[in-house]
Amino acid sequence: MTGVVDAALPADFPSLLTPRLEIRGFRAGDAEAFSAYRSDPDVARYQGWTAPYPLASAQRFIEALADRDPWTPGEWFQVAIAPREGGVLIGDCGMRPDAADPRIVEIGFSLAREHQGRGLATEAICRLLAYFFDERGVHRVVAGCDVRNTRSAALLERVGMRREAHFVESEWFKGEWTSEYRYALLCREWVRP
Ligand SMILES: CC(C)(COP(=O)(O)OP(=O)(O)OC[C@H]1O[C@@H](n2cnc3c(N)ncnc32)[C@H](O)[C@@H]1OP(=O)(O)O)[C@@H](O)C(=O)NCCC(=O)NCCS
C-alpha cells in the first residue's frame, strides 16, 4: 500500500474519463460499495464470487490490487467505475492479458443494480476499448458470458463485439453445467464512437 490512504491504486493504471464516468484504480474507500454490490445475488449470479461478499473480503481484494501490475499475463486485474464528479463506486471492469500473448485482453464487468439500465456499462467499456486499442497497442479484446446472461451479451454486442462461439455445457459452475458465449473484437474492426 502507498502511504496515502485513499490514493488511486495502482499508480500505473490511468484515470480514464467519459462524459459521466471515471475509470480508475481502486481506492481503499471503495470497499464498502464494492462489498455491497458484490453481495447482490443478481450481480453475483454469473460471476466468480458468491454473495454475500463481506466488507473484509472487499478490503483484502482492494489491498491486494495495490501491489499488482495490471498487465501481468494471465492474471485478472480489476479497475473501478465511479461517477466522473466523484462519489461512491458504482461498478468495476476486469481485464486479463492473455498468458501467452498480452496483446490479447479478456474483459469482464459489473455494475451495481441501481446503476444498470442507463448506458453506463456501455460508456465504461467503450472507454476501456479506446484505451486498449489506441493507447496500449492491444490487438484483440475477448469476453465470455453465460448464455442466460442476456444483459451481458447485449452489452458486448452494443459495444461492437462479435459472437464467435457458443460452448455447450462447457463448464461446471456453481453446481451445474453451464453454456458460454465467447465474443471478440479486433483493433482494426473497432468503430470509434
Ligand atoms: C452486464 C451489465 C454490466 C450490463 O449492464 P446494463 O445496465 O444492462 O448495461 P448499460 O449500462 O450499458 O445499459 C444498457 C441499458 O441502458 C439503456 N440506455 C440508456 N441510455 C443509454 C445510453 N446512453 N447508451 C446505451 N444504453 C443506454 C439501454 O437501452 C439498455 O437498456 P435495456 O436494458 O432496457 O435494453 C449488468 O447487467 C451487470 O452488472 N450484471 C451483473 C454482473 C455480470 O453478470 N457481469 C457480466 C459477467 S459476463
Side-chain angles (χ1 to χ4, degrees):
M1 292 279 282
T2 64
V4 183
V5 173
D6 213 26
L9 303 172
D12 53 358
F13 194 90
S15 162
L16 305 175
L17 297 176
T18 74
R20 292 180 288 178
L21 300 172
E22 181 184 19
I23 301 157
R24 55 160 173 79
F26 264 89
R27 297 173 178 158
D30 294 324
E32 207 166 314
F34 188 60
S35 156
Y37 68 73
R38 281 199 159 198
S39 294
D40 179 340
D42 275 7
V43 175
R45 182 168 178 205
Y46 300 115
Q47 299 279 36
W49 72 87
T50 49
Y53 191 81
L55 180 60
S57 303
Q59 287 165 333
R60 273 197 305 275
F61 186 97
I62 291 171
E63 274 167 27
L65 286 172
D67 300 324
R68 299 267 319 283
D69 175 355
W71 293 94
T72 306
E75 304 261 323
W76 278 105
F77 186 85
Q78 237 70 23
V79 294
I81 306 174
R84 185 183 167 124
E85 69 276 11
V88 174
L89 176 82
I90 64 163
D92 63 90
C93 301
M95 56 177 279
R96 178 167 64 173
D98 187 83
D101 191 328
R103 292 171 300 179
I104 300 171
V105 178
E106 181 163 5
I107 57 168
F109 31 77
S110 297
L111 267 192
R113 198 156 15 140
E114 62 271 27
H115 296 288
Q116 295 180 17
R118 295 166 52 207
L120 293 170
T122 301
E123 200 168 302
I125 297 302
C126 284
R127 184 64 189 88
L128 205 58
L129 291 174
Y131 172 61
F132 289 158
F133 289 141
D134 287 343
E135 297 173 49
R136 300 295 309 211
V138 168
H139 172 66
R140 177 175 160 94
V141 170
V142 300
C145 75
D146 188 295
V147 299
R148 297 165 297 180
N149 195 348
T150 51
R151 293 190 80 97
S152 179
L155 167 62
L156 291 165
E157 287 166 24
R158 213 161 31 243
V159 301
M161 295 187 73
R162 171 184 52 253
R163 188 186 295 173
E164 292 189 336
H166 177 179
F167 293 123
V168 179
E169 296 191 14
S170 53
E171 190 183 0
W172 181 257
F173 183 71
K174 297 190 176 178
E176 59 183 338
W177 285 111
T178 57
S179 301
E180 185 191 32
Y181 292 138
R182 297 294 303 174
Y183 285 87
L185 179 67
L186 299 176
C187 179
R188 68 167 179 273
E189 297 170 327
W190 183 50
V191 179
R192 283 157 185 79

